[in-house]
């Protein structure tokens, strides 16, 4: 670890972007999405949740739950407690049953599929009643067909002695009789024959011929002479090393059984979790994760490929908590090491219609060795990227992992899916070396170096890196999760239908407000959601688009229109400048409209339809405030005038005398008191008798001249003292009342 390719655990969280098509016009709560009626929602939950911390988007919520410690436990169960799982042996089936049991506990429908027969397997199982065997309690060696098959019921148990090459009596300890004899394996058949003959004659109860050096797997061999009636088996160099080091510490007892499984059947386990709304599994898209159960003879197969199942099961666990509209399949295939036998048997059972439903198959094989040069690769049979690979890249980007590379390789079960046209890729931590440019992965492919433990008895828990398993979970599991959820394109547009970039998209799918990220330059955000009813919301310039109750069932689009336009106010009464006589009955009339066919809150000085205030004379302000759902607000202010019922008892033009008292009489519909004249009035102003145009400044009529107002018998009388100097001129007389009305007469003065 520690290289640039490595991915520190829980270093994550980028943002999701993407795009599809839009369907729902927001602002129309009754609009339908994908045939599903949208429900209006109260929005009350939104407000409440908005104040608390936001939940993560579903991609990150799911990734956060992936825990490679759970994968490690599954790997231990398979590689240690069950041990080597050679195709066609009971251990392959036990592996399938274990995986099936876990999947059942997660609510999957589980099928064990038997297929075959396959070639006969000759295996020895080696355990110890008194020692902790390195690498795990269940060793597997190759049983020689020339010797005895004990079966499970006639196990041979004995102390172990080491007899070197066993070529002479001197190689054997004195107390060899009744013991299990370990000798160094020779590649020469005659040497092996001699060793076994010698051991048998010394009274050995079982013989192990194990490679002394060379990091070798257990050898299968026959004996050309003197077939002994004791079990004989070939061990790997690790077995030899481990036994010798145990013997250095003291007596070691081993217990061996040898079995011949004649043309046995192989086993696959298939877990299916049906999509919501497709319980029979006839139409939902299928997202499949595969791994192989079997290991090569003698190898616990912790990395190859218990690790793949460990990751598959952890993905299954987390996804099983979500209602999904995709069908999830977890495959544990047997016989991979025999030539992709189980996976080929499985794809042969798929109907054309079923194959057509596959989104892809993500094959997990060797998904986390600590071997330093290994990196995470997405390897395809033709070396080209495909949907499954691309989705893994995208998932890597979401968690900040850019170490994934794509090149060419078959050699695992993804090949079987590829061969029937299903997009697939092998995900593997491997020291893979792509071809040197200008060669490309497509036609050429690269080479690779496996970790030393590969296909060896040393492929134990020590060959497992929890950190790298976690990367696989986050990146490849993240891709699987992303595809198992519904893709929803959320777009934010203005009410003028312009895309709104950078709009924060949130959704409440029933458990609180969730941050789905922000829209891109095209106003869109690609989010993934489980099968749920979600209320989407966004806020742009303080304007909220929400209350979108959307039933998510299948991939779809949600369009949020953000209302950025102010509502309109139509004010019919009072209009600006309207005049009402004092005490007349008049009702207010107005309405407010939102441009998105929504109702705007509309509040006037008095409610629409209610009486206007005409009880006091003068100018009155009338205001209407309108606020739409998004919070756009506007107002309209008008002024209307309430006046006395006016009656003039004087003509528009009249003749009078200078230096006299001219009475100006008028009625105001009753006695309104003597304070009815506006301050500073009446005034008079000289005008041309010909044109009526002003010829001088206006001046108050009051003052020392003793002008005066009186009221009597329904009439007001204002006695205007005219000046002597005004003789022979014309003047206008202006009377402005405290209701704001002005009244004029022009007088020609003698
Ligand atoms: N897990 C390996 C796949 C693999 C590929 C490992 C490349 C290392 C490098 C798989 O289990 C395996 O061993 N496959 C066989 C081929 C298969 C068709 C029998 C192999 O690569 O030899
Ligand atoms: Zn393998």
């Amino acid at each position: 670890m520690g290289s640039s390719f490595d991915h520190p655990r829980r270093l994550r969280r980028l943002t999701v972007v993407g795009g599809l098509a839009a369907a729902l016009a927001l602002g129309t709560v009754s609009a339908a999405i994908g045939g599903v009626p949208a429900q209006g929602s109260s929005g009350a939950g939104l407000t409440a949740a908005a104040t608390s911390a936001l939940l993560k988007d579903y991609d990150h919520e799911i990734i956060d739950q992936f825990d490679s410690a759970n994968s490690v436990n599954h790997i231990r169960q398979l590689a240690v407690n069950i041990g080597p799982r050679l195709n066609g042996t009971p251990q392959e089936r036990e592996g399938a049953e274990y995986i099936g049991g876990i999947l059942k506990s997660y609510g999957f429908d589980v099928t064990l599929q038997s297929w075959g027969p396959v070639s006969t397997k000759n295996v020895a199982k080696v355990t110890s009643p008194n020692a902790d065997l390195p690498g795990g309690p269940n060793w597997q060696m190759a049983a020689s067909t020339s010797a005895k098959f004990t079966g499970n019921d006639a196990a041979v148990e004995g102390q172990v002695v080491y007899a070197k090459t066993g070529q002479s009596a001197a190689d054997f300890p004195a107390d060899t009789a009744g013991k299990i004899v370990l000798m160094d394996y020779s590649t020469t058949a005659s040497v092996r024959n001699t060793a076994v003959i010698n051991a048998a004659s010394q009274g050995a109860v079982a013989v192990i011929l194990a490679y002394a050096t060379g990091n070798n797997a257990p050898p299968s061999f026959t004996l050309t002479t003197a077939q002994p009636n004791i079990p004989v088996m070939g061990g790997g160099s690790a077995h030899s090393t481990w036994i010798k080091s145990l013997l250095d510490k003291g007596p070691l007892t081993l217990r061996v059984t040898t079995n011949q499984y004649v043309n046995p059947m192989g086993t696959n386990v298939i877990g299916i979790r049906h999509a919501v709304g497709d319980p029979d599994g006839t139409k939902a898209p299928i997202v499949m994760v595969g791994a192989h159960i079997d290991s090569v003879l003698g190898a616990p197969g912790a990395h190859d490929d218990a690790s793949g199942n460990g990751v598959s099961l952890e993905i299954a666990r987390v996804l099983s908590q979500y209602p999904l509209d995709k069908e999830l399949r977890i495959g544990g295939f047997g016989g991979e090491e025999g030539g992709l036998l189980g996976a080929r048997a499985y794809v042969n059972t798929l109907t054309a219609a079923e194959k057509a439903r596959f989104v892809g198959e993500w094959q997990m094989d060797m998904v986390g060795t600590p071997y330093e040069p290994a990196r995470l690769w997405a390897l395809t049979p033709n070396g080209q990227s495909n949907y499954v690979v691309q989705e893994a890249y995208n998932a890597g980007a979401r968690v900040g992992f850019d170490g994934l590379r794509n090149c060419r390789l078959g050699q695992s079960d993804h090949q079987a899916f590829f061969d029937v046209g299903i997009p697939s890729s092998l995900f593997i931590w491997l020291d893979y070396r792509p071809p040197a440019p200008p060669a490309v992965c497509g036609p050429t492919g690269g080479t690779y170096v496996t970790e030393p433990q590969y296909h060896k008895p040393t492929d134990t828990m020590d060959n497992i890196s929890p950190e790298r398993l976690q990367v696989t979970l986050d990146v490849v599991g993240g891709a699987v999760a992303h595809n198992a959820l519904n893709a929803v394109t959320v777009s934010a547009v203005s009410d003028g239908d312009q895309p709104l970039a950078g709009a924060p998209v949130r959704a409440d799918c029933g458990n609180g407000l969730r941050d789905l990220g922000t829209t891109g330059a095209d106003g869109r955000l690609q989010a993934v959601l489980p099968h749920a009813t979600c209320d989407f919301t966004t806020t742009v310039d303080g304007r909220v688009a929400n209350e979108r109750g959307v039933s998510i069932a299948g991939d779809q689009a949600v369009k949020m229109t953000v209302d950025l336009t102010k509502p309109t106010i139509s004010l019919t009464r009072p209009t600006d400048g309207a005049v009402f006589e004092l005490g007349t009955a008049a009702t207010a009339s107005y309405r407010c409209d939102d441009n998105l066919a929504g109702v705007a809150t509309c509040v006037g000085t008095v409610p629409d339809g209610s009486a206007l205030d005409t009880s006091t004379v003068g100018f009155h302000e009338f205001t209407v405030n309108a606020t739409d759902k998004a919070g756009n607000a506007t107002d309209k202010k008008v002024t209307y005038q309430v006046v006395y019922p006016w009656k003039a008892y004087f003509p528009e033009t009249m003749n009078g005398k200078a230096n006299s008292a001219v009475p100006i009489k008028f009625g105001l519909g009753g006695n309104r008191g003597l304070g009815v004249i506006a301050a500073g009035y009446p005034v008079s102003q000289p005008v041309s008798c010909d044109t009526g145009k002003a010829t001088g400044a206006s001046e108050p009529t009051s003052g020392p001249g003793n002008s005066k107002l009186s009221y009597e018998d329904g009439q007001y009388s204002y006695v205007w003292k005219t000046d002597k100097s005004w003789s022979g001129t014309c003047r206008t007389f202006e009377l402005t009342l405290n209701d704001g009305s002005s009244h004029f007469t022009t007088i020609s003065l003698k």
Side-chain angles (χ1 to χ4, degrees), residues 292 294-296 304-305 336-337 365-366 411 454-455:
H292 70 90
D294 65 312
S295 53
V296 296
D304 183 13
D305 179 31
E336 188 272 352
E337 304 287 6
D365 191 357
M366 301 172 51
Q411 296 177 228
Y454 170 69
H455 282 189

Side-chain angles (χ1 to χ4, degrees), residues 160-198:
V160 181
V161 291
Y162 173 55
K164 300 171 189 138
T165 58
Q167 296 303 294
S168 69
D171 285 344
F172 292 86
D175 55 352
T176 294
K179 303 279 166 61
I180 296 176
V181 178
L182 168 69
M183 294 174 286
D184 297 338
Y185 176 82
S186 166
T187 53
T188 306
S190 59
V191 175
R192 296 193 296 263
N193 284 330
T194 304
V196 174
I197 289 166
N198 288 345

Side-chain angles (χ1 to χ4, degrees), residues 574 576 605-606 618-623 636-641:
D576 197 29
T605 303
V606 301
F619 295 98
H620 295 251
E621 220 171 54
F622 194 91
T623 309
K636 193 166 212 165
K637 285 189 171 73
V638 295
T639 304
Y640 66 92
Q641 191 180 3

Side-chain angles (χ1 to χ4, degrees), residues 464-506:
I464 292 298
S465 161
E467 292 78 13
R468 287 177 172 186
L469 289 177
Q470 190 67 46
V471 174
T472 308
L473 282 167
D474 292 352
V475 175
V476 190
V480 170
H482 187 81
N483 277 275
L485 293 160
N486 293 316
V488 179
T489 299
V490 189
S491 58
V493 297
S494 70
D495 42 350
D497 220 24
Q498 294 302 305
L500 295 171
V505 178
R506 293 168 180 185

